[in-house]
PDB file of all heavy atoms in Angstrom:
ATOM      1  N   ASN Q  14       9.137 108.251-121.371  1.00 98.00           N
ATOM      2  CA  ASN Q  14       8.161 107.189-121.097  1.00 98.00           C
ATOM      3  C   ASN Q  14       8.260 106.057-122.108  1.00 98.00           C
ATOM      4  O   ASN Q  14       8.027 106.277-123.298  1.00 98.00           O
ATOM      5  CB  ASN Q  14       6.721 107.742-121.157  1.00 98.00           C
ATOM      6  CG  ASN Q  14       6.482 108.784-120.095  1.00 98.00           C
ATOM      7  OD1 ASN Q  14       6.995 108.682-118.986  1.00 98.00           O
ATOM      8  ND2 ASN Q  14       5.716 109.814-120.431  1.00 98.00           N
ATOM      9  N   ASP Q  15       8.635 104.895-121.637  1.00 98.00           N
ATOM     10  CA  ASP Q  15       8.636 103.673-122.448  1.00 98.00           C
ATOM     11  C   ASP Q  15       9.337 103.877-123.801  1.00 98.00           C
ATOM     12  O   ASP Q  15       8.842 103.445-124.846  1.00 98.00           O
ATOM     13  CB  ASP Q  15       7.193 103.195-122.655  1.00 98.00           C
ATOM     14  CG  ASP Q  15       7.135 101.692-122.920  1.00 98.00           C
ATOM     15  OD1 ASP Q  15       8.126 101.008-122.646  1.00 98.00           O
ATOM     16  OD2 ASP Q  15       6.100 101.225-123.423  1.00 98.00           O
ATOM     17  N   LEU Q  16      10.469 104.520-123.761  1.00 98.00           N
ATOM     18  CA  LEU Q  16      11.214 104.845-124.992  1.00 98.00           C
ATOM     19  C   LEU Q  16      11.827 103.587-125.617  1.00 98.00           C
ATOM     20  O   LEU Q  16      12.430 102.769-124.920  1.00 98.00           O
ATOM     21  CB  LEU Q  16      12.328 105.856-124.654  1.00 98.00           C
ATOM     22  CG  LEU Q  16      13.101 106.416-125.836  1.00 98.00           C
ATOM     23  CD1 LEU Q  16      12.219 107.348-126.664  1.00 98.00           C
ATOM     24  CD2 LEU Q  16      14.341 107.171-125.361  1.00 98.00           C
ATOM     25  N   LYS Q  17      11.645 103.483-126.939  1.00 98.00           N
ATOM     26  CA  LYS Q  17      12.247 102.357-127.671  1.00 98.00           C
ATOM     27  C   LYS Q  17      12.996 102.890-128.880  1.00 98.00           C
ATOM     28  O   LYS Q  17      12.518 103.818-129.543  1.00 98.00           O
ATOM     29  CB  LYS Q  17      11.179 101.368-128.143  1.00 98.00           C
ATOM     30  CG  LYS Q  17      10.475 100.691-127.002  1.00 98.00           C
ATOM     31  CD  LYS Q  17       9.475  99.649-127.472  1.00 98.00           C
ATOM     32  CE  LYS Q  17       8.796  99.052-126.228  1.00 98.00           C
ATOM     33  NZ  LYS Q  17       7.705  98.168-126.547  1.00 98.00           N
ATOM     34  N   LYS Q  18      14.136 102.301-129.152  1.00 98.00           N
ATOM     35  CA  LYS Q  18      14.848 102.581-130.393  1.00 98.00           C
ATOM     36  C   LYS Q  18      15.365 101.259-130.941  1.00 98.00           C
ATOM     37  O   LYS Q  18      16.273 100.643-130.376  1.00 98.00           O
ATOM     38  CB  LYS Q  18      16.012 103.561-130.158  1.00 98.00           C
ATOM     39  CG  LYS Q  18      16.781 103.888-131.433  1.00 98.00           C
ATOM     40  CD  LYS Q  18      15.912 104.582-132.461  1.00 98.00           C
ATOM     41  CE  LYS Q  18      16.571 104.656-133.825  1.00 98.00           C
ATOM     42  NZ  LYS Q  18      15.663 105.191-134.860  1.00 98.00           N
ATOM     43  N   HIS Q  19      14.735 100.818-132.019  1.00 97.00           N
ATOM     44  CA  HIS Q  19      15.125  99.565-132.677  1.00 97.00           C
ATOM     45  C   HIS Q  19      15.725  99.914-134.033  1.00 97.00           C
ATOM     46  O   HIS Q  19      15.132 100.677-134.790  1.00 97.00           O
ATOM     47  CB  HIS Q  19      13.899  98.654-132.877  1.00 97.00           C
ATOM     48  CG  HIS Q  19      13.269  98.218-131.587  1.00 97.00           C
ATOM     49  ND1 HIS Q  19      12.067  97.552-131.537  1.00 97.00           N
ATOM     50  CD2 HIS Q  19      13.666  98.347-130.306  1.00 97.00           C
ATOM     51  CE1 HIS Q  19      11.754  97.294-130.272  1.00 97.00           C
ATOM     52  NE2 HIS Q  19      12.711  97.778-129.519  1.00 97.00           N
ATOM     53  N   PHE Q  20      16.885  99.353-134.323  1.00 96.00           N
ATOM     54  CA  PHE Q  20      17.522  99.604-135.623  1.00 96.00           C
ATOM     55  C   PHE Q  20      17.262  98.404-136.533  1.00 96.00           C
ATOM     56  O   PHE Q  20      17.571  97.261-136.148  1.00 96.00           O
ATOM     57  CB  PHE Q  20      19.035  99.781-135.462  1.00 96.00           C
ATOM     58  CG  PHE Q  20      19.407 100.978-134.631  1.00 96.00           C
ATOM     59  CD1 PHE Q  20      19.725 100.846-133.285  1.00 96.00           C
ATOM     60  CD2 PHE Q  20      19.459 102.245-135.199  1.00 96.00           C
ATOM     61  CE1 PHE Q  20      20.083 101.947-132.517  1.00 96.00           C
ATOM     62  CE2 PHE Q  20      19.816 103.355-134.446  1.00 96.00           C
ATOM     63  CZ  PHE Q  20      20.127 103.206-133.106  1.00 96.00           C
ATOM     64  N   PRO Q  21      16.718  98.626-137.733  1.00 94.00           N
ATOM     65  CA  PRO Q  21      16.468  97.491-138.631  1.00 94.00           C
ATOM     66  C   PRO Q  21      17.768  96.871-139.144  1.00 94.00           C
ATOM     67  O   PRO Q  21      18.767  97.570-139.317  1.00 94.00           O
ATOM     68  CB  PRO Q  21      15.679  98.121-139.788  1.00 94.00           C
ATOM     69  CG  PRO Q  21      15.901  99.586-139.689  1.00 94.00           C
ATOM     70  CD  PRO Q  21      16.294  99.910-138.280  1.00 94.00           C
ATOM     71  N   ILE Q  22      17.738  95.560-139.352  1.00 93.00           N
ATOM     72  CA  ILE Q  22      18.894  94.859-139.920  1.00 93.00           C
ATOM     73  C   ILE Q  22      18.496  94.385-141.313  1.00 93.00           C
ATOM     74  O   ILE Q  22      17.421  93.800-141.494  1.00 93.00           O
ATOM     75  CB  ILE Q  22      19.263  93.606-139.090  1.00 93.00           C
ATOM     76  CG1 ILE Q  22      19.421  93.972-137.620  1.00 93.00           C
ATOM     77  CG2 ILE Q  22      20.516  92.928-139.609  1.00 93.00           C
ATOM     78  CD1 ILE Q  22      19.449  92.749-136.716  1.00 93.00           C
ATOM     79  N   ARG Q  23      19.374  94.643-142.290  1.00 88.00           N
ATOM     80  CA  ARG Q  23      19.124  94.173-143.661  1.00 88.00           C
ATOM     81  C   ARG Q  23      20.318  93.331-144.086  1.00 88.00           C
ATOM     82  O   ARG Q  23      21.458  93.675-143.769  1.00 88.00           O
ATOM     83  CB  ARG Q  23      19.001  95.355-144.625  1.00 88.00           C
ATOM     84  CG  ARG Q  23      17.774  96.212-144.373  1.00 88.00           C
ATOM     85  CD  ARG Q  23      17.796  97.461-145.243  1.00 88.00           C
ATOM     86  NE  ARG Q  23      16.908  98.470-144.708  1.00 88.00           N
ATOM     87  CZ  ARG Q  23      15.612  98.564-144.994  1.00 88.00           C
ATOM     88  NH1 ARG Q  23      15.065  97.723-145.841  1.00 88.00           N
ATOM     89  NH2 ARG Q  23      14.865  99.494-144.442  1.00 88.00           N
ATOM     90  N   ALA Q  24      20.029  92.240-144.802  1.00 81.00           N
ATOM     91  CA  ALA Q  24      21.110  91.354-145.255  1.00 81.00           C
ATOM     92  C   ALA Q  24      21.940  92.030-146.342  1.00 81.00           C
ATOM     93  O   ALA Q  24      23.135  91.807-146.462  1.00 81.00           O
ATOM     94  CB  ALA Q  24      20.523  90.044-145.761  1.00 81.00           C
ATOM     95  N   GLY Q  25      21.338  92.891-147.136  1.00 80.00           N
ATOM     96  CA  GLY Q  25      22.064  93.592-148.200  1.00 80.00           C
ATOM     97  C   GLY Q  25      21.337  94.888-148.501  1.00 80.00           C
ATOM     98  O   GLY Q  25      20.273  95.158-147.940  1.00 80.00           O
ATOM     99  N   PHE Q  26      21.936  95.694-149.375  1.00 76.00           N
ATOM    100  CA  PHE Q  26      21.391  97.028-149.653  1.00 76.00           C
ATOM    101  C   PHE Q  26      19.953  96.982-150.156  1.00 76.00           C
ATOM    102  O   PHE Q  26      19.124  97.792-149.789  1.00 76.00           O
ATOM    103  CB  PHE Q  26      22.286  97.727-150.676  1.00 76.00           C
ATOM    104  CG  PHE Q  26      22.021  99.203-150.767  1.00 76.00           C
ATOM    105  CD1 PHE Q  26      22.387 100.056-149.726  1.00 76.00           C
ATOM    106  CD2 PHE Q  26      21.384  99.732-151.865  1.00 76.00           C
ATOM    107  CE1 PHE Q  26      22.124 101.405-149.800  1.00 76.00           C
ATOM    108  CE2 PHE Q  26      21.116 101.094-151.951  1.00 76.00           C
ATOM    109  CZ  PHE Q  26      21.495 101.927-150.907  1.00 76.00           C
ATOM    110  N   PHE Q  27      19.668  95.970-151.020  1.00 77.00           N
ATOM    111  CA  PHE Q  27      18.329  95.899-151.615  1.00 77.00           C
ATOM    112  C   PHE Q  27      17.422  94.886-150.888  1.00 77.00           C
ATOM    113  O   PHE Q  27      16.302  94.647-151.313  1.00 77.00           O
ATOM    114  CB  PHE Q  27      18.424  95.535-153.103  1.00 77.00           C
ATOM    115  CG  PHE Q  27      19.124  96.605-153.901  1.00 77.00           C
ATOM    116  CD1 PHE Q  27      20.414  96.412-154.373  1.00 77.00           C
ATOM    117  CD2 PHE Q  27      18.497  97.829-154.147  1.00 77.00           C
ATOM    118  CE1 PHE Q  27      21.061  97.401-155.082  1.00 77.00           C
ATOM    119  CE2 PHE Q  27      19.144  98.825-154.854  1.00 77.00           C
ATOM    120  CZ  PHE Q  27      20.429  98.620-155.327  1.00 77.00           C
ATOM    121  N   SER Q  28      17.923  94.280-149.813  1.00 80.00           N
ATOM    122  CA  SER Q  28      17.127  93.249-149.125  1.00 80.00           C
ATOM    123  C   SER Q  28      16.134  93.873-148.173  1.00 80.00           C
ATOM    124  O   SER Q  28      16.289  95.026-147.746  1.00 80.00           O
ATOM    125  CB  SER Q  28      18.030  92.320-148.319  1.00 80.00           C
ATOM    126  OG  SER Q  28      19.220  92.106-148.984  1.00 80.00           O
ATOM    127  N   GLY Q  29      15.131  93.072-147.820  1.00 86.00           N
ATOM    128  CA  GLY Q  29      14.162  93.522-146.822  1.00 86.00           C
ATOM    129  C   GLY Q  29      14.759  93.434-145.424  1.00 86.00           C
ATOM    130  O   GLY Q  29      15.898  92.983-145.242  1.00 86.00           O
ATOM    131  N   ILE Q  30      13.973  93.857-144.456  1.00 88.00           N
ATOM    132  CA  ILE Q  30      14.428  93.844-143.060  1.00 88.00           C
ATOM    133  C   ILE Q  30      14.397  92.404-142.538  1.00 88.00           C
ATOM    134  O   ILE Q  30      13.386  91.707-142.683  1.00 88.00           O
ATOM    135  CB  ILE Q  30      13.527  94.754-142.202  1.00 88.00           C
ATOM    136  CG1 ILE Q  30      13.710  96.205-142.662  1.00 88.00           C
ATOM    137  CG2 ILE Q  30      13.832  94.609-140.721  1.00 88.00           C
ATOM    138  CD1 ILE Q  30      12.704  97.181-142.079  1.00 88.00           C
ATOM    139  N   THR Q  31      15.525  91.969-141.952  1.00 90.00           N
ATOM    140  CA  THR Q  31      15.596  90.588-141.465  1.00 90.00           C
ATOM    141  C   THR Q  31      15.513  90.517-139.938  1.00 90.00           C
ATOM    142  O   THR Q  31      15.450  89.436-139.371  1.00 90.00           O
ATOM    143  CB  THR Q  31      16.910  89.924-141.919  1.00 90.00           C
ATOM    144  OG1 THR Q  31      17.996  90.739-141.465  1.00 90.00           O
ATOM    145  CG2 THR Q  31      16.980  89.803-143.431  1.00 90.00           C
ATOM    146  N   GLY Q  32      15.543  91.634-139.282  1.00 92.00           N
ATOM    147  CA  GLY Q  32      15.454  91.642-137.815  1.00 92.00           C
ATOM    148  C   GLY Q  32      15.697  93.047-137.296  1.00 92.00           C
ATOM    149  O   GLY Q  32      15.818  93.995-138.082  1.00 92.00           O
ATOM    150  N   TYR Q  33      15.758  93.175-135.976  1.00 94.00           N
ATOM    151  CA  TYR Q  33      15.971  94.491-135.356  1.00 94.00           C
ATOM    152  C   TYR Q  33      16.993  94.389-134.234  1.00 94.00           C
ATOM    153  O   TYR Q  33      16.984  93.409-133.479  1.00 94.00           O
ATOM    154  CB  TYR Q  33      14.669  95.034-134.762  1.00 94.00           C
ATOM    155  CG  TYR Q  33      13.673  95.452-135.822  1.00 94.00           C
ATOM    156  CD1 TYR Q  33      12.742  94.542-136.316  1.00 94.00           C
ATOM    157  CD2 TYR Q  33      13.685  96.737-136.343  1.00 94.00           C
ATOM    158  CE1 TYR Q  33      11.839  94.917-137.304  1.00 94.00           C
ATOM    159  CE2 TYR Q  33      12.778  97.117-137.321  1.00 94.00           C
ATOM    160  CZ  TYR Q  33      11.861  96.204-137.800  1.00 94.00           C
ATOM    161  OH  TYR Q  33      10.975  96.575-138.767  1.00 94.00           O
ATOM    162  N   VAL Q  34      17.846  95.395-134.142  1.00 96.00           N
ATOM    163  CA  VAL Q  34      18.692  95.531-132.953  1.00 96.00           C
ATOM    164  C   VAL Q  34      17.876  96.359-131.957  1.00 96.00           C
ATOM    165  O   VAL Q  34      17.583  97.524-132.202  1.00 96.00           O
ATOM    166  CB  VAL Q  34      20.016  96.275-133.276  1.00 96.00           C
ATOM    167  CG1 VAL Q  34      20.831  96.467-132.001  1.00 96.00           C
ATOM    168  CG2 VAL Q  34      20.807  95.550-134.334  1.00 96.00           C
ATOM    169  N   ARG Q  35      17.506  95.721-130.852  1.00 96.00           N
ATOM    170  CA  ARG Q  35      16.662  96.406-129.854  1.00 96.00           C
ATOM    171  C   ARG Q  35      17.551  97.147-128.871  1.00 96.00           C
ATOM    172  O   ARG Q  35      17.716  96.745-127.723  1.00 96.00           O
ATOM    173  CB  ARG Q  35      15.789  95.370-129.135  1.00 96.00           C
ATOM    174  CG  ARG Q  35      14.848  94.676-130.088  1.00 96.00           C
ATOM    175  CD  ARG Q  35      14.201  93.443-129.470  1.00 96.00           C
ATOM    176  NE  ARG Q  35      13.502  92.709-130.511  1.00 96.00           N
ATOM    177  CZ  ARG Q  35      12.278  92.993-130.922  1.00 96.00           C
ATOM    178  NH1 ARG Q  35      11.613  93.972-130.373  1.00 96.00           N
ATOM    179  NH2 ARG Q  35      11.726  92.290-131.885  1.00 96.00           N
ATOM    180  N   ALA Q  36      18.146  98.242-129.359  1.00 97.00           N
ATOM    181  CA  ALA Q  36      19.153  98.962-128.567  1.00 97.00           C
ATOM    182  C   ALA Q  36      18.549  99.558-127.303  1.00 97.00           C
ATOM    183  O   ALA Q  36      19.161  99.532-126.232  1.00 97.00           O
ATOM    184  CB  ALA Q  36      19.786 100.053-129.417  1.00 97.00           C
ATOM    185  N   VAL Q  37      17.352 100.131-127.443  1.00 97.00           N
ATOM    186  CA  VAL Q  37      16.629 100.684-126.284  1.00 97.00           C
ATOM    187  C   VAL Q  37      15.235 100.072-126.350  1.00 97.00           C
ATOM    188  O   VAL Q  37      14.562 100.153-127.370  1.00 97.00           O
ATOM    189  CB  VAL Q  37      16.552 102.229-126.360  1.00 97.00           C
ATOM    190  CG1 VAL Q  37      15.738 102.784-125.199  1.00 97.00           C
ATOM    191  CG2 VAL Q  37      17.956 102.833-126.369  1.00 97.00           C
TER     192      VAL Q  37
END
Side-chain angles (χ1 to χ4, degrees):
N14 297 324
D15 205 16
L16 186 70
K17 295 183 181 173
K18 180 63 192 173
H19 297 171
F20 297 98
I22 308 166
R23 293 173 199 273
F26 195 71
F27 295 107
S28 324
I30 294 170
T31 56
Y33 289 90
V34 177
R35 298 167 190 276
V37 177

